[in-house]
Amino acid sequence: MTEILRLHYAPDNASLIVRLALEELGLQYETVLVDRSTRAQNSPAYLAINPAGLIPALETPDGPLFETGAILLWLSDRFGGLASPVGSCDRGAFLKWLFYMSNTVHPNLRMSFYPDKYVGEDTTCQAALRTQVQANLGKSLSLFESLAAENHSWFSTQAPSSLTLYLAAILRWMALYPQGQTDWFDLTDWPNLSAIARNLETRDSVAALCAAEGMEPAPFTRPTAPNPPEGVAL
């Protein structure tokens, strides 16, 4: 087991959420590129760390971790911050929304990126799936817009949390991917979520992300395709 934190990442993948959390918590960590151009996520070396073959993975003193939500929770519980503390009265509310983001919103977005993995090569079926998941995503954004209006300490413009970091990445990807299939999404339709994203863009963690993964400023509210110094994006 490693004695340090080592993030296995690819540019503009879910690993960026973990990178932001590591930066926000002020933790020292190393990064290891998972080169998607060579499908390194399917290599024996990477599968020994994350047998699911997905990105990210985080090597820790407790052993390797995978699944973005699980990594975020481990970091918060181990180092404190970015979440409602264990035992607090709002821990349950925080957890249900974090898991909703991880288990419902993110998989729907993934289906819009890779419809062939779910319905095969028929383009009519792919278009139908995209239409359905985009409707699902719109409903989810409306739920988070209402949640943001409640101004919880763990979901507001006042301070980042693992949930707002996750949200920002989701907003970025909805605007960018898949290319030519993003007309359904306009961030201005959700002003509370837009405010959360704008607030995050002022933080040092986001500046570090942009430098490391080749993103332009305002990566969440005015995203453009990255030009990473290593590896390839989505």
Side-chain angles (χ1 to χ4, degrees):
M1 290 187 294
T2 181
E3 292 302 315
I4 62 171
L5 299 176
R6 183 176 295 124
L7 175 63
H8 294 257
Y9 89 104
D12 218 2
N13 278 238
S15 49
L16 77 82
I17 307 163
V18 178
R19 184 192 292 272
L20 288 172
L22 291 165
E23 292 287 342
E24 284 290 340
L25 293 170
L27 301 175
Q28 293 187 339
Y29 65 99
E30 297 178 352
T31 58
V32 179
L33 175 68
V34 183
D35 190 350
R36 294 189 58 177
S37 69
T38 62
R39 301 195 64 78
Q41 67 270 30
N42 296 327
S43 68
Y46 187 70
L47 292 174
I49 297 168
N50 183 353
L54 299 174
I55 303 166
L58 184 71
E59 292 186 81
T60 81
D62 296 343
L65 301 175
F66 53 91
E67 290 298 312
T68 302
I71 295 171
L72 294 173
L73 277 179
W74 183 86
L75 288 171
S76 292
D77 291 350
R78 184 67 174 263
F79 299 102
L82 299 181
S84 297
V86 175
S88 64
C89 62
D90 56 357
R91 174 75 169 183
F94 167 78
L95 289 176
K96 70 184 181 184
W97 286 106
L98 179 64
F99 276 73
Y100 178 73
M101 184 73 82
S102 179
N103 294 353
T104 300
V105 180
H106 199 165
N108 266 284
L109 193 59
R110 181 176 171 80
M111 281 190 277
S112 76
F113 295 164
Y114 311 112
D116 57 301
K117 295 182 181 294
Y118 299 89
V119 296
E121 298 301 324
D122 187 290
T123 56
T124 301
C125 291
Q126 291 179 13
L129 177 62
R130 279 206 175 102
T131 297
Q132 181 59 61
V133 299
Q134 287 167 0
N136 295 344
L137 290 167
K139 292 177 182 178
S140 295
L141 289 175
S142 294
L143 291 176
F144 279 111
E145 177 73 9
S146 297
L147 182 67
E150 298 172 7
N151 201 36
H152 296 281
S153 61
W154 42 268
F155 196 68
S156 73
T157 61
Q158 304 307 309
S161 72
S162 55
L163 185 55
T164 60
L165 300 179
Y166 213 141
L167 168 73
I170 292 290
L171 296 176
R172 172 180 172 80
W173 298 328
M174 286 179 179
L176 284 180
Y177 307 112
Q179 292 184 1
Q181 301 284 341
T182 61
D183 289 349
W184 70 276
F185 175 77
D186 185 341
L187 182 55
T188 62
D189 291 338
W190 293 279
N192 290 330
L193 303 186
S194 181
I196 288 174
R198 284 196 306 271
N199 182 69
L200 286 175
E201 288 173 342
T202 67
R203 300 189 66 83
D204 290 344
S205 61
V206 176
L209 168 69
C210 291
E213 302 197 10
M215 297 176 185
E216 296 294 326
F220 309 129
T221 59
R222 297 191 304 276
T224 57
N227 182 23
E230 63 174 359
V232 296
L234 285 170

